[in-house]
Amino acid sequence: MQFIPTSIRGPLFMIVSTGSYLVNDTMMKLATAGLPSYEVLFLRGVAATLWGMPLLFLLGYGRQIPLIFDKRVLRRNLLELAAILCYVVALANMQIADSTALGQITPLLMLVGSSILFGERIGGVRMALIGLGFIGALMVAQPTMQGISVYALLALGNAALAAARDLAGRRVAAEVPGMIVAISAVVVVLIGAGAAHLVSERWVMPEARHLLLMAGAGFFLIFGHFFIFMAYRVGPTGVVAPFYYCFTVWAVISGVLVFGQFPNALAVCGILLVVASGLRRSGVRPVPECPGGLRHPAGGRERADHRLA
C-alpha cells in the first residue's frame, strides 16, 4: 500500500475498518434471527479462520504464524475478546441506538490514553473536533437511555476495552505484520466465544442462509481487524480517532439499504458533524517520520511492511 500518501493512510484505514466492521455487524444481526449470540460469534470465527489462514500463506507469512501467540499480540486480542463479549450481551438487552451511542466514547478514551502513554500532544482544535464528532454520533444514534442497568455498564465496558485494545496494539512490534494480528484476534475470539457458548447456550443447528451470512461476516471481520490495527500503527491517534465516528455513517447506510430505516433530519445533521470533525486539519503535534513511512509516537524507528502497510 505504499502508493497511498502517508498523510492519509491512517484516516483511510479507519474508514475502511469501520465499513468492514459494519458489513460484518449487519450480517451478524441478520444471522442472530434464529441463532444464539455466542453461537453466531463462534461460527463467524470459524469462517474467518477458514478465510484467513490460506490468506496468510498467500501473502508469504507462513513462517510468521507463531507470532499469532506473541505476548503483546495476545494481550491486545484478549482485550478484543473481552470487548466483544461485553458488546454482544449489551446489544442483546438494549436498544441498538443506546449501545451504539455508549460506544462512541472510544475515540475520546483513545486520545486520553495516547496522551498519557505515548506523549502525543493533542491540540485544543483537535479536542474540539473530537467532541464535535461525539455530539454528531449521538445525534445519529438518538439514544433513549431507557432502563439504564448493568447492560449499559457492559456497553461502556465495551467502549473502554476497545480503547485499551487499540492502545495495546500500538505496543505490538513493527515486525509483526498487521494480518498476523488480525488472524490472532479471530482465533482468540473464536476460542472465547466457543467457551461462552458451551457455558451459557444450547446449540441450534444453523440453516444454509446462516452459514452464508457467517462466511461473509468472517471475510469482512478479518479486514476490520487488520485496518483498525494498521490505522493506529501508521497515523497519530489525534488524526485517526475522529474517523472512528464513520461507524455511525456506515450504520445509517446499512439501515437504509438493508433494513429500510431512513434517517431523520437530526440524524442527517449528525452525519454532517461527524464528517466535518474528521475532515478538518489536525491539532496534533507532528511526530518523527520513520524510514518506512510509519510514525512512531516515541520517535523510534519502525520497519514498514511493504506488502501490506
Side-chain angles (χ1 to χ4, degrees), residues 165-299:
R165 171 203 66 198
D166 293 330
L167 289 169
R170 295 189 59 173
R171 294 191 178 276
V172 174
E175 289 74 20
V176 180
M179 191 58 71
I180 289 286
V181 177
I183 300 303
S184 175
V186 167
V187 172
V188 170
V189 174
L190 167 65
I191 295 171
H197 171 69
L198 290 174
V199 169
S200 61
E201 297 174 341
R202 296 184 62 182
W203 178 264
V204 176
M205 185 60 65
E207 301 174 2
R209 66 183 182 89
H210 294 134
L211 297 177
L212 288 174
L213 287 169
M214 289 303 93
F219 179 81
F220 283 98
L221 176 69
I222 292 172
F223 292 100
H225 285 325
F226 170 71
F227 281 108
I228 198 168
F229 173 76
M230 293 304 301
Y232 286 116
R233 170 174 275 187
V234 305
T237 304
V239 175
V240 173
F243 290 87
Y244 181 90
Y245 295 127
C246 288
F247 190 96
T248 59
V249 179
W250 291 120
V252 169
I253 294 173
S254 173
V256 172
L257 297 181
V258 180
F259 302 105
Q261 301 170 342
F262 291 87
N264 56 26
L266 183 62
V268 171
C269 291
I271 292 172
L272 294 177
L273 284 179
V274 169
V275 173
S277 73
L279 293 182
R280 291 294 302 272
R281 292 180 61 85
S282 170
V284 178
R285 180 183 177 182
V287 291
E289 186 81 18
C290 297
L294 300 182
R295 295 177 181 268
H296 192 281

Side-chain angles (χ1 to χ4, degrees), residues 89-234:
V89 175
L91 187 62
N93 292 276
M94 296 176 64
Q95 294 188 28
I96 192 169
D98 295 343
S99 59
T100 299
L102 290 171
Q104 301 310 303
I105 67 170
T106 296
L108 297 173
L109 296 176
M110 275 293 297
L111 281 177
V112 173
S114 293
S115 178
I116 295 173
L117 296 176
F118 302 118
E120 285 195 6
R121 297 185 179 180
I122 311 300
V125 173
R126 176 52 57 188
M127 285 297 294
L129 292 176
I130 291 286
L132 189 69
F134 178 64
I135 293 171
L138 290 178
M139 292 169 65
V140 174
Q142 297 174 28
T144 62
M145 304 313 291
Q146 295 178 353
I148 291 182
S149 64
V150 66
Y151 302 115
L153 295 178
L154 286 173
L156 288 170
N158 166 62
L161 288 165
R165 171 203 66 198
D166 293 330
L167 289 169
R170 295 189 59 173
R171 294 191 178 276
V172 174
E175 289 74 20
V176 180
M179 191 58 71
I180 289 286
V181 177
I183 300 303
S184 175
V186 167
V187 172
V188 170
V189 174
L190 167 65
I191 295 171
H197 171 69
L198 290 174
V199 169
S200 61
E201 297 174 341
R202 296 184 62 182
W203 178 264
V204 176
M205 185 60 65
E207 301 174 2
R209 66 183 182 89
H210 294 134
L211 297 177
L212 288 174
L213 287 169
M214 289 303 93
F219 179 81
F220 283 98
L221 176 69
I222 292 172
F223 292 100
H225 285 325
F226 170 71
F227 281 108
I228 198 168
F229 173 76
M230 293 304 301
Y232 286 116
R233 170 174 275 187
V234 305

